[in-house]
């Protein structure tokens, strides 16, 4: 890293170290949080598409009974809620808003 402003290794946004922490260590940690936040965003998009596809999206080529479909939809919704909570926790501790790649 040169003497310029440190940047997130994941999204490239400029970062300003806080609380006297070592800049390189802090940038690495912030970049890791940013990478996880992006993973969560991608997972949630995939889940949203699957949920929005409805029954046809869940069936694919498999045969399922109605109880299984309802359980799967509920499970996907719970997974999405868990991912959303994790993303919100990351946003709470992150010092930058992840950029778009």
């Amino acid at each position: 890293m040169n003497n310029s402003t440190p940047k997130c290794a994941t999204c490239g946004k400029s970062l300003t170290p806080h609380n006297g922490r070592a800049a390189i260590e802090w940038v690495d940690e912030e970049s890791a949080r940013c990478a996880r936040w992006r993973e969560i965003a991608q997972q949630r998009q995939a889940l949203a598409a699957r949920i929005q596809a409805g029954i046809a999206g869940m069936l694919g080529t498999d045969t399922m009974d109605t109880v299984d479909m309802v359980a799967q939809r509920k499970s996907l919704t719970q997974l999405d809620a868990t991912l959303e909570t994790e993303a919100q926790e990351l946003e709470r501790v992150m010092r930058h808003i992840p950029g778009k790649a």
Side-chain angles (χ1 to χ4, degrees), residues 1-8 12-17 23 26-27:
M1 178 163 56
N2 57 25
N3 290 337
S4 66
T5 303
K7 296 187 183 306
C8 176
K13 286 231 178 163
S14 294
L15 301 174
T16 305
W26 183 80
V27 169

Side-chain angles (χ1 to χ4, degrees), residues 30-98:
E30 187 74 357
S31 295
R33 285 188 287 269
C34 185
R36 179 60 186 141
W37 185 89
R38 281 183 160 198
E39 289 172 4
I40 291 169
Q42 291 171 345
Q43 290 172 337
R44 290 192 70 215
Q45 286 175 348
L47 283 172
R50 192 162 181 189
I51 291 169
Q52 192 172 26
I55 293 173
M58 289 184 198
L59 284 177
T61 58
D62 297 335
T63 56
M64 296 177 115
D65 66 25
T66 304
V67 173
D68 289 342
M69 286 187 290
V70 170
Q72 184 177 15
R73 186 172 180 96
K74 185 175 182 180
S75 176
L76 292 174
T77 302
Q78 289 173 338
L79 177 57
D80 183 58
T82 300
L83 289 170
E84 180 181 22
T85 299
E86 185 179 350
Q88 289 172 349
E89 277 297 309
L90 284 169
E91 289 172 359
R92 187 180 63 75
V93 296
M94 290 175 69
R95 299 286 184 181
H96 79 291
I97 298 170

